[in-house]
Amino acid sequence: LHEELGYVLDDVNRYVERKVVIEDPELAHLEFTGTVFLDHLDEWLATLEGSFPVEMVDAGGQRELVRRKDR
């Protein structure tokens, strides 16, 4: 798979109950290369934090992918 992260998450969201949303349009354009295994979605989402300047935030009924704050 070689797509923008926003498109990848749109596809993933078709198959999961807790949606993953990206509020920052710049993050949606990050280029993702790899494979998503829906039966290991939580692990895959965790790897995004190591690969991109993002972090996953629990937002009640959904998850938000936000820009990681510099520490």
Side-chain angles (χ1 to χ4, degrees):
L1 188 62
H2 188 76
E3 300 251 0
E4 289 186 350
L5 188 56
Y7 291 126
V8 173
L9 289 175
D10 285 345
D11 284 341
V12 166
N13 282 335
R14 295 182 350 195
Y15 302 101
V16 297
E17 188 173 318
R18 282 189 72 211
K19 307 300 183 203
V20 180
V21 297
I22 301 176
E23 295 295 333
D24 183 337
E26 289 182 27
L27 296 178
H29 294 292
L30 293 172
E31 193 169 297
F32 174 78
T33 302
T35 304
V36 179
F37 296 101
L38 293 175
D39 53 341
H40 295 285
L41 184 61
D42 289 332
E43 293 90 346
W44 178 76
L45 290 171
T47 66
L48 294 179
E49 294 180 344
S51 302
F52 298 106
V54 300
E55 62 182 305
M56 192 65 59
V57 176
D58 185 9
Q62 65 186 19
R63 299 174 246 204
E64 292 183 9
L65 197 63
V66 299
R67 185 170 300 278
R68 184 172 49 232
K69 297 175 181 71
D70 291 334
R71 296 189 172 127

